[in-house]
Amino acid sequence: MYDILIVGGGTAGLTAALYARRAGRSVLVLEGGGFGGQITASPLVENYPGIPSISGMAFADALTGQALDLGADAELERVAAARRTGDGFVLTAGGRSFSGRALVLATGAKHRKLGLSGEERLVGNGVSYCAACDGAFFAGEDVAVAGGGDSALQAALFLSKRCGRVYLVHRREEFRGEPCHVAALKKRENITLCLSRQVTALEGADSLTGVELTAAGGVRERLPVTGLFVAVGQEPDNRVFAELAELDAAGYVRAGEDCRTSTPGVFAAGDCRTKELRQLTTAAADGAQAAAAACGWLDQAGL
Ligand SMILES: Cc1cc2nc3c(=O)[nH]c(=O)nc-3n(C[C@H](O)[C@H](O)[C@H](O)COP(=O)(O)OP(=O)(O)OC[C@H]3O[C@@H](n4cnc5c(N)ncnc54)[C@H](O)[C@@H]3O)c2cc1C
């Protein structure tokens, strides 16, 4: 019986593990993909305070090592089922069961992809899912943003302050984002709206050299851009935990800045919870907060 079970070995889960270990609690981290989480896909991180520049893999390795060195146990298994018991929680992963008194959900989220040929190969070499993370790498260059919701509008506005021309490509005539964002981007001279069009192909062997757009009527055109920011939403996957913690309409775990969920003893940290900004800093902050809240909850229960 562990004091704290943590689902997800990304920045939030590993930070929770190191805070819980430093508080003297026994911890098991269950990770279904690879330790480090999403950031391992990023070649360069330049916005983590105190670390001017580091690869996502090096960041993930350092954080994983730090949590393990502090004595966190870890299993490379995906949690397939979760239930509450009389004295805590039981997780099923890889055909085994793991018990703990408190539970931290740190399952992250995945950026939706366009599903185009070459998309995965060009991540970090022109294709990005995060303007706040990668926008600075495209200073002065022409880029495209794909999407029509608030995240796409905000990405276009953010990039227009740094890049040359920003093409905002949206498959409909109307945006789904907030009217104030739509009004703001119509005023930016270096934003070109490409409405009723979709990105249908990516060009470039080693790095992006352009994108193909196809209009609703089938007419094709080429945009000579070196960056494509895909902002068509994120997908959390918390269905396994839906009986344990309330989810919002989009599937994120409902929890505030205190990381407490609707169930006592269950906490949510990082990209998997309802929040505005999904970044390493906010994931790390949540991990610390969730661990502190879980330790406090165990203390109060006399466990
Ligand atoms: C390409 C890319 C570049 C980025 N660049 C930056 C950047 O430069 N700066 C920045 O601040 N942010 C950046 N981000 C965002 C940042 O990576 C995330 O905000 C951060 O990783 C969130 O951490 P997390 O721990 O909440 O989630 P994640 O990193 O997504 O980790 C969650 C983990 O949980 C695991 N998991 C999920 N379900 C289960 C289950 N049922 N059982 C077991 N394990 C499970 C997943 O496998 C995953 O490893 C980038 C993201 C991407 C994709």
Side-chain angles (χ1 to χ4, degrees):
M1 172 70 96
Y2 284 92
D3 288 328
I4 304 176
L5 295 172
I6 299 173
V7 187
T11 302
L14 292 169
T15 305
L18 77 89
Y19 269 75
R21 283 301 301 141
R22 284 171 60 89
R25 292 295 183 172
S26 62
V27 171
L28 172 66
V29 184
L30 290 142
E31 166 54 50
F35 283 94
Q38 283 174 62
I39 201 59
T40 54
S42 173
L44 209 51
V45 177
E46 296 194 327
N47 61 355
Y48 197 85
I51 306 178
S53 182
I54 188 169
S55 75
M57 195 56 90
F59 178 86
D61 282 350
L63 182 52
T64 307
Q66 194 177 3
L68 297 181
D69 288 350
L70 282 164
D73 285 348
E75 294 280 349
L76 197 53
E77 298 284 7
R78 186 166 186 83
V79 174
R83 67 188 163 86
R84 206 172 173 177
T85 59
D87 57 355
F89 304 91
V90 173
L91 302 178
T92 308
R96 290 184 288 160
S97 294
F98 303 92
S99 305
R101 295 188 172 89
L103 180 61
V104 174
L105 302 177
T107 53
K110 286 198 174 93
H111 290 276
R112 276 201 200 103
K113 300 194 165 50
L114 293 176
L116 298 174
S117 169
E119 187 173 350
E120 262 180 48
R121 175 172 47 81
L122 291 168
V123 171
N125 292 303
V127 173
S128 169
Y129 300 87
C130 178
C133 311
D134 299 332
F137 301 128
F138 296 87
E141 298 178 30
D142 293 348
V143 300
V145 175
D150 257 329
S151 58
L153 302 185
Q154 287 180 16
L157 288 168
F158 178 87
L159 292 165
S160 70
K161 292 184 187 153
R162 292 154 184 83
C163 300
R165 180 142 300 276
V166 177
Y167 298 92
L168 180 54
V169 184
H170 180 38
R171 62 191 168 136
R172 301 191 204 287
E173 274 301 304
E174 300 294 330
F175 291 106
R176 280 178 288 111
E178 286 186 35
C180 64
H181 291 142
V182 177
L185 69 88
K186 283 182 176 163
K187 284 189 199 145
R188 292 279 164 88
E189 286 187 354
N190 65 338
I191 296 182
T192 301
L193 301 184
C194 304
L195 301 177
S196 295
R197 289 171 175 80
Q198 294 191 60
V199 178
T200 44
L202 307 176
E203 293 173 6
D206 301 324
S207 58
L208 190 77
T209 52
V211 298
E212 177 197 78
L213 304 189
T214 304
V219 177
R220 292 177 187 193
E221 64 192 292
R222 179 181 182 270
L223 293 181
V225 293
T226 51
L228 171 66
F229 289 84
V230 180
V232 292
Q234 277 193 311
E235 285 177 322
D237 187 0
N238 296 308
R239 283 166 294 182
V240 166
F241 310 101
E243 298 289 311
L244 283 184
E246 198 185 325
L247 308 183
D248 69 13
Y252 292 99
V253 182
R254 275 194 202 281
E257 292 299 310
D258 60 5
C259 297
R260 288 175 199 277
T261 70
S262 53
T263 304
V266 182
F267 304 86
D271 282 13
C272 73
R273 82 166 173 91
T274 44
K275 59 160 63 181
E276 285 282 318
L277 182 65
R278 293 190 168 87
Q279 289 278 276
L280 292 173
T281 46
T282 55
D286 275 12
Q289 172 59 40
C295 292
W297 184 81
L298 290 167
D299 289 344
Q300 268 191 353
L303 298 169

